[in-house]
Amino acid sequence: MKMVEGKGSSLVYLMVVVLSLVAFGFAIAAERRRSTGMIVPDTLSLNRTYCVYNSDVATGYGVGSFLFLLSSESLLMGVTKCMCFGRPLAPGGSRAYSIIYFVSSWLTFLIAEACLVAGAAKNAYHTKYRDVVYAQNFSCESLRKGVFIAGAVFVVATMILNVYYYMYFTKATCQTARKTSHSNSTVGMTGYP
């Protein structure tokens, strides 16, 4: 993917944003479609109840969000070679910012993925039978509100940090290329009138 002088590839920007927004959409859909349970008495036993859950589609949405965010992060780390294996970064502000955004984006990425995996796993887990004789406030276990929303918020934060990371990364790598080409072109040249 060809980088414009100091700006990076528009395709990389587009893919990172699109994959992250799809992950965000799946996380919001997962929150809206969380499984909820309803207590139903067992017809065979008077002292036994069980929970009947509605659709388990939120688990699939959570996993989809996880995979799209992972794809976005993998794409960016593949293009930038995880900032460790490509061209060296020129010392200066762009290098410092790219390191700060790199670390910050990984932190928010890990938090987002943890929220999405935990939400999907907890949403997939359903209690079946409970022995209840005189319980007034018994309820079926379900995923707490906001787990997928937290994941969605961190997905957006990761997307923003990744865009800034890529922007400063390309500036820092292009500065290195310019400094190298300038120093090589003037070697051995002297000023003659």
Side-chain angles (χ1 to χ4, degrees), residues 70-133:
L70 181 65
S71 299
S72 172
E73 192 77 10
S74 299
L75 170 76
L76 187 60
M77 292 307 131
V79 168
T80 63
K81 296 183 176 114
C82 209
M83 199 171 71
C84 303
F85 303 108
R87 292 187 296 195
L89 303 178
S94 294
R95 176 178 160 177
Y97 280 125
S98 69
I99 291 170
I100 290 168
Y101 286 123
F102 175 80
V103 171
S104 301
S105 74
W106 268 100
L107 181 66
T108 58
F109 167 75
L110 292 175
I111 292 170
E113 294 290 62
C115 288
L116 295 170
V117 166
K122 180 69 176 168
N123 190 73
Y125 174 74
H126 300 307
T127 57
K128 296 294 180 196
Y129 283 91
R130 296 267 180 141
D131 290 324
V132 177
V133 180

Side-chain angles (χ1 to χ4, degrees), residues 140-163:
C140 297
E141 286 186 26
S142 63
L143 178 65
R144 294 178 74 181
K145 278 187 174 185
V147 174
F148 286 120
I149 292 295
V153 167
F154 281 104
V155 165
V156 171
T158 302
M159 177 188 70
I160 292 167
L161 291 169
N162 278 342
V163 167

Side-chain angles (χ1 to χ4, degrees), residues 29-48:
E31 179 67 29
R32 294 187 57 141
R33 300 293 304 267
R34 285 179 308 111
S35 295
T36 55
M38 188 174 69
I39 301 169
V40 176
D42 191 354
T43 56
L44 301 175
S45 172
L46 295 174
N47 293 335
R48 200 161 197 192

